[in-house]
Amino acid sequence: MIARDVPKLVELSRQTDLRVSFSLTTDREDVRRLYEPHCAALDERIAAIRLLRDNGIRTFATLAPLLPCEPEHLARAAL
């Protein structure tokens, strides 16, 4: 949903020190659907991070709260 607001966020970032943070919780879709059914999948979150960064918005990701996952894969995806 944040992707739709990129133009507004770009404008806001010109007026203040804007930072957007994302939580990357799991790389397992079955776990995400169980614990975060209304949240975007990992690949969608990473795409949103790229979109914001490509538009000059300072963007951060945290691996938290860490749900059941393949930690090495999740960390590689985050990097």
Side-chain angles (χ1 to χ4, degrees):
M1 291 178 63
I2 198 166
R4 71 172 185 219
D5 293 328
V6 167
K8 293 176 185 176
L9 293 170
V10 168
E11 181 60 33
L12 183 61
S13 72
R14 292 182 184 131
Q15 300 172 27
T16 189
D17 183 23
L18 178 67
R19 292 174 283 178
V20 177
S21 181
F22 286 81
S23 295
L24 305 179
T25 57
T26 184
D27 61 344
R28 290 182 43 191
E29 187 60 16
D30 61 323
V31 173
R32 186 203 59 82
R33 281 193 306 265
L34 180 64
Y35 289 97
E36 301 179 314
H38 303 291
C39 295
L42 178 62
D43 59 338
E44 294 171 318
R45 294 179 200 200
I46 291 173
I49 291 168
R50 283 191 184 114
L51 175 64
L52 293 172
R53 291 186 69 145
D54 288 348
N55 280 276
I57 297 170
R58 291 175 55 192
T59 310
F60 301 89
T62 59
L63 303 182
L66 202 55
L67 298 174
C69 65
E70 184 62 41
E72 292 85 7
H73 178 260
L74 184 60
R76 281 192 303 274
L79 292 172

